[in-house]
Amino acid sequence: MSSSDLTWEPSPREQERRAVRRALRRRRGLLAAVVTVTVFVALGLVVTSSEGWDQFKALFLSWHHAKEAFPAIAKGFWINIKMFVVGEILILVVGVLVAVTRNTVTPWLTPLRIVAVIYTDVFRGLPTLLVVFVICIGVPALRIEGIPTNVTVLGTFALVLCYGAYVAEVIRAGIDSIHPSQIASAEALGLGRAQTTRYVVLPQAIRRVMPPLLNDFVSLQKDTSLVASVGVFESLFAAQDYGNYNFNYTPLLVSGLFFLALTIPLARLTDWLGRRALIRERGR
Amino acid sequence: MTEVLLQVENLRKSYGDNVVLDDIDLTVAKHDVICLIGSSGSGKSTLLRCLNLLEQVDDGVISFGGREITDPRIDPRAVRREIGMVFQAYNLFPHLSVLANCTLAPVRAGGVGRRDAEDRARTLLARFGLADKASVHPDQLSGGQQQRVALVRALCTEPKLLLLDEITAALDPELVGEVLEIVRAEAEAGMTMILATHEMAFARDVATSVCFLHQGRILEQGPPAQIFTAPREERTRAFLQRVL
Ligand SMILES: Nc1ncnc2c1ncn2[C@@H]1O[C@H](COP(=O)(O)OP(=O)(O)OP(=O)(O)O)[C@@H](O)[C@H]1O
Ligand SMILES: [Mg+2]
């Protein structure tokens, strides 16, 4: 309001309060640090003092084998990346379409609504591995002209089918959580049902379900390894292959690190995006 | 003879560079009904939110019942248990029935037995004409009914001080009366209240004291008879001319 008091100086009482707040914050920080360090040190001691620790180290933590297997795993991981980048985009499209379809009311779309319900029920219920097998082996067996036979492509398609069903339900839950007054005020402004969904409901819904959506996407990243079972040489397959020849399992952990290196930044990024949106809306 | 319940000294609150409240002094005695008036954006809601510790003040001291509540070591929940607040937008919990809305805080935070809390809630609901709505969910009520439930919910915690933020602003004129009736009844029963309002007639009627806020300052304070008929400040007069 007034800009007259740029000269404002905190009163002694306020300065005292700030000091107390700082002290409280410091005390909380210290407590958190002590608790954290104690817990992790204790855990580390339990593991490293166990009887089989040396054996475990030789089998899972060999620097030599990590280096040897690295190129093959990295090459395989490139396949994982391609699969889930393409997959995530398609899944989001499928998920939104199915969720929105299920929430429509026009009688014209009744058959589509039924298809959407059956789709989610079936593909959520089937084990992902089964769908991968059926699509990657069954579809080429049909020998239909023009349908791709590349297993990586088919495997991605299978994953999209399964995860699309999960994501559709997550998004539908988000849509249902938006208060009816939002829809009422959008329609009162003259927006149509589709516009209301597109510009008012979906943006709020997607933001609200960001954490569970991320869950599904991280889960998808890991499940790209399922295509190993139909012979795609992705990173986990490469690691396993190396391990079986050399009797060492370090490559499995290396492959695991690749997955983590992708998942953790993604989680931090979505957290940051969510917080930024909140700050913009609530002004603090 | 009057016992001071709430004392505000030199309160200051800003959002970034925007100084929203500046140098606010206010003394509230038991059984006082203080009306905050002033144009939109003058800081009425912010002041009420500061009193309830929903906002951290930048400077100044708020004492409640003789204790400084702006002290960082104080547990804000303990303070809020003694101060009831009702918002303009009702803010009822849509997933709970009217009765459950009213008993949630007394049972979970106030340590009152469920039976006692429900009895008290039903008594209050009945007193304000909502006896048959106890088991209904809030979204099925009219605006006036929702706001009355919000008032009952605040009263159920037996607060020592009630903060009301433009509780009739979202209601059509017909419903304003039924909500204000509750406020009047509580005022007559001796409840201490601070309310932000645009209902000048009501303020004149129930207030023991009226504060005119202008650009984050209390420009003028006095009994309604004086403020509404013979304001000292030119800006108060201008504001009243616009709204009366
Ligand atoms: N969270 C916030 N972040 C930044 N500025 C805010 C915030 N809340 C309020 N303000 C600013 O504080 C000022 C006072 O707002 P406040 O809501 O207290 O006004 P008011 O007197 O209650 O107005 P009204 O009669 O319209 O309810 C306004 O200028 C507003 O822009
Ligand atoms: Mg306000």
Side-chain angles (χ1 to χ4, degrees):
Chain A
M1 284 284 99
S2 52
S3 51
S4 57
D5 39 24
L6 293 168
T7 54
W8 172 69
E9 286 283 338
S11 67
R13 177 66 191 123
E14 175 61 23
Q15 281 169 3
E16 209 178 308
R17 275 199 301 245
R18 285 181 190 176
V20 172
R21 265 184 219 121
R22 267 197 303 276
L24 286 176
R25 223 172 10 246
R26 251 199 318 273
R27 185 146 22 122
R28 273 197 296 269
L30 197 67
L31 186 66
V34 168
V35 171
T36 312
V37 169
T38 315
V39 167
F40 282 111
V41 166
L43 270 179
L45 282 179
V46 168
V47 172
T48 54
S49 66
S50 63
E51 211 176 310
W53 173 242
D54 286 329
Q55 227 175 332
F56 178 90
K57 245 182 8 187
L59 212 50
F60 282 95
L61 300 175
S62 147
W63 184 240
H64 165 74
H65 287 297
K67 267 195 305 200
E68 284 291 297
F70 189 87
I73 294 174
K75 189 156 158 269
F77 196 65
W78 180 233
I79 299 179
N80 296 85
I81 291 185
K82 279 191 290 199
M83 285 182 72
F84 72 65
V85 167
V86 174
E88 272 166 18
I89 294 167
L90 293 179
I91 286 164
L92 213 54
V93 172
V94 171
V96 167
L97 284 181
V98 171
V100 168
T101 306
R102 286 192 70 166
N103 272 19
T104 52
V105 285
T106 35
W108 291 102
L109 291 179
T110 309
L112 259 184
R113 270 199 296 280
I114 293 174
V115 170
V117 171
I118 294 174
Y119 162 71
T120 40
D121 283 0
V122 169
F123 282 93
R124 254 186 329 171
L126 289 175
T128 313
L129 189 58
L130 183 150
V131 179
V132 171
F133 269 126
V134 170
I135 300 283
C136 293
I137 297 170
V139 169
L142 293 173
R143 272 180 268 154
I144 298 173
E145 199 69 39
I147 284 194
T149 51
N150 180 320
V151 265
T152 313
V153 173
L154 287 173
T156 310
F157 178 64
L159 290 174
V160 169
L161 275 182
C162 289
Y163 276 85
Y166 289 119
V167 167
E169 285 300 279
V170 169
I171 292 175
R172 193 162 69 97
I175 291 176
D176 287 345
S177 77
I178 302 303
H179 198 270
S181 62
Q182 289 286 310
I183 299 165
S185 50
E187 290 185 339
L189 287 168
L191 265 62
R193 272 214 83 93
Q195 290 168 318
T196 302
T197 305
R198 164 71 186 80
Y199 295 108
V200 178
V201 177
L202 269 183
Q204 298 185 59
I206 298 272
R207 225 184 54 214
R208 216 172 269 187
V209 297
M210 219 43 219
L213 267 186
L214 185 67
N215 258 357
D216 282 341
F217 282 159
V218 169
S219 178
L220 169 77
Q221 293 180 2
K222 295 180 296 185
D223 275 357
T224 50
S225 314
L226 287 177
V227 296
S229 57
V230 289
V232 176
F233 215 73
E234 50 73 54
S235 73
L236 195 65
F237 195 16
Q240 230 171 354
D241 193 55
Y242 180 96
N244 290 343
Y245 273 103
N246 299 283
F247 302 108
N248 189 284
Y249 300 111
T250 312
L252 287 180
L253 291 191
V254 174
S255 164
L257 286 180
F258 268 100
F259 281 100
L260 282 185
L262 215 77
T263 305
I264 292 174
L266 186 61
R268 291 290 74 80
L269 176 71
T270 43
D271 276 3
W272 180 76
L273 286 174
R275 220 174 19 251
R276 199 184 58 164
L278 268 189
I279 288 172
R280 208 172 36 223
E281 273 175 29
R282 308 208 174 140
R284 72 183 87 166
Chain B
M1 232 20 261
T2 46
E3 190 183 333
V4 172
L5 183 65
L6 182 92
Q7 176 116 34
V8 181
E9 291 162 282
N10 289 323
L11 181 75
R12 178 190 167 94
K13 171 73 193 168
S14 58
Y15 293 106
D17 292 335
N18 185 5
V19 181
V20 176
L21 292 175
D22 195 11
D23 207 10
I24 298 276
D25 286 299
L26 183 65
T27 303
V28 182
K30 263 204 182 126
H31 312 306
D32 269 358
V33 177
I34 310 274
C35 282
L36 306 176
I37 61 170
S39 49
S40 189
S42 57
K44 304 180 292 292
S45 302
T46 309
L47 177 55
L48 292 176
R49 292 170 61 82
C50 286
L51 298 182
N52 204 7
L53 304 185
L54 289 171
E55 301 286 347
Q56 193 183 87
V57 305
D58 290 351
D59 206 342
V61 174
I62 306 173
S63 314
F64 179 66
R67 208 166 46 132
E68 185 194 334
I69 58 172
T70 32
D71 191 308
R73 279 164 299 203
I74 224 146
D75 178 7
R77 284 169 304 178
V79 176
R80 292 188 201 128
R81 252 171 247 153
E82 313 212 304
I83 301 182
M85 179 150 186
V86 181
F87 300 88
Q88 178 176 338
Y90 329 138
N91 297 354
L92 293 171
F93 305 126
H95 63 297
L96 297 176
S97 70
V98 164
L99 189 66
N101 260 282
C102 296
T103 56
L104 181 68
V107 171
R108 299 291 169 194
V112 181
R114 176 167 297 282
R115 179 74 60 76
D116 292 343
E118 287 188 354
D119 284 348
R120 178 170 166 76
R122 282 187 198 282
T123 312
L124 282 167
L125 287 171
R127 200 162 97 215
F128 300 125
L130 294 158
D132 54 332
K133 303 293 184 197
S135 56
V136 170
H137 280 251
D139 279 344
Q140 297 164 20
L141 298 178
S142 76
Q145 289 168 336
Q146 289 191 41
Q147 194 56 291
R148 278 185 285 160
V149 171
L151 269 164
V152 168
R153 180 173 71 172
L155 291 172
C156 275
T157 59
E158 308 197 337
K160 294 194 178 123
L161 171 67
L162 199 54
L163 308 175
L164 308 177
D165 189 5
E166 284 181 43
I167 54 169
T168 57
L171 302 177
D172 51 84
E174 233 178 317
L175 299 175
V176 169
E178 63 182 43
V179 171
L180 291 185
E181 225 22 72
I182 302 189
V183 179
R184 193 194 310 275
E186 281 305 312
E188 276 161 13
M191 174 64 77
T192 315
M193 287 190 265
I194 306 178
L195 43 124
T197 186
H198 286 299
E199 296 287 331
M200 294 305 151
F202 181 72
R204 189 192 306 219
D205 196 22
V206 298
T208 54
S209 178
V210 176
C211 296
F212 174 65
L213 264 80
H214 181 73
Q215 299 191 346
R217 290 168 178 272
I218 296 183
L219 212 60
E220 184 164 5
Q221 178 175 5
Q226 181 246 312
I227 297 279
F228 286 113
T229 52
R232 267 181 288 110
E233 296 283 333
E234 186 47 45
R235 274 187 291 236
T236 316
R237 194 167 308 143
F239 170 75
L240 288 173
Q241 249 156 28
R242 264 188 292 123
V243 296
L244 283 180

